[in-house]
Amino acid sequence: AVHINIEKKAPIRAGMAGGGADAAAVLVGLNTLYSAGLSLEELCALGAAVGADVPFAICGGTARVGGFGEKITPLPALMDCRFVVVMPGYGISTPEAFANYDQVGTDKRPNNEAAVAALTAGDYDALMPCLANVLEKASNGPDTKAICNALTQAGADAALMTGSGAAVYGIFKTEQAAQSAASQLKKRWQKVWVLAPRAEGTKIEK
């Protein structure tokens, strides 16, 4: 028998689920390397012991996540669109953001039920106003509002902070619109990416 110990070490203020995504990749990779034959459910159970964001990083796609991250309900795939992700030159401490949330609360709430209905109907326009990040006020990222405003002015149909920040993303209907917006934002922020949604999670590329 092979005993493998996985310890997730996410850099403080890294954001974007970096440690969780890395842990998911390690679990999926080891499952293949050692021909362990673990099911997706078994991998997710192992991942949940490593970090709350690991099970979703393993499953990927579009889903509603509950509990401590271990309850994953798959949803209809996100319609074709593009994300422009902007990362300022600093991060936000997730523990600090949550501690601050207990003090300041939120002025935004996502409409989860309406979002699920929009996804089910494949209605992109109906989905956009349903989106919100309750940590945005508590995170208090110095550039969050400026980036959201810049993305909206560049044509984003929605612009939100990721997780506890500091990265921000805008959603665009087309690759062309996203690339045009990214070009504009790169004049002010260096780290800007255009990404497409994926219908699957972590997998081995051959």
Side-chain angles (χ1 to χ4, degrees):
V2 177
H3 177 77
I4 299 170
N5 181 53
I6 300 175
E7 184 177 346
K8 185 180 80 164
K9 292 186 177 180
I12 294 175
R13 304 173 190 270
M16 298 285 293
D22 290 346
V26 169
L27 285 169
V28 171
L30 290 174
N31 192 38
T32 301
L33 181 65
Y34 287 100
S35 301
L38 296 176
S39 67
L40 187 64
E41 291 74 17
E42 290 171 315
L43 284 171
C44 285
L46 287 172
V50 178
D53 52 355
V54 179
F56 175 75
I58 291 172
C59 294
T62 305
R64 190 169 184 174
V65 181
F68 292 99
E70 80 285 359
K71 297 178 181 178
I72 300 174
T73 304
L75 296 174
L78 180 64
M79 49 289 291
D80 187 37
C81 62
R82 294 294 181 271
F83 298 97
V84 174
V85 180
V86 183
M87 182 67 187
Y90 55 86
I92 300 292
S93 166
T94 299
E96 287 178 17
F98 275 96
N100 199 33
Y101 177 84
D102 291 336
Q103 301 298 319
V104 303
T106 183
D107 53 1
K108 296 182 179 181
R109 288 283 178 192
N111 189 335
N112 293 322
E113 300 308 323
V116 171
L119 284 167
T120 302
D123 191 336
Y124 174 92
D125 292 327
L127 176 62
M128 294 302 109
C130 300
L131 308 176
N133 185 332
V134 298
L135 280 177
E136 208 164 282
K137 182 178 179 182
S139 174
N140 199 26
D143 285 80
T144 300
K145 287 183 180 179
I147 297 173
C148 284
N149 289 338
L151 284 164
T152 301
Q153 291 170 7
D157 297 302
L160 300 91
M161 183 183 76
T162 66
S164 57
V168 175
Y169 68 95
I171 308 177
F172 296 79
K173 276 187 177 179
T174 67
E175 174 81 19
Q176 182 178 3
Q179 292 291 353
S180 175
S183 295
Q184 295 179 47
L185 270 77
K186 283 180 181 177
K187 297 174 183 177
R188 185 168 177 183
W189 294 280
Q190 292 184 343
K191 297 180 180 180
V192 180
W193 302 272
V194 175
L195 306 170
R198 284 180 54 130
E200 57 191 359
T202 305
K203 71 173 196 174
I204 303 297
E205 297 286 351
K206 297 181 179 179

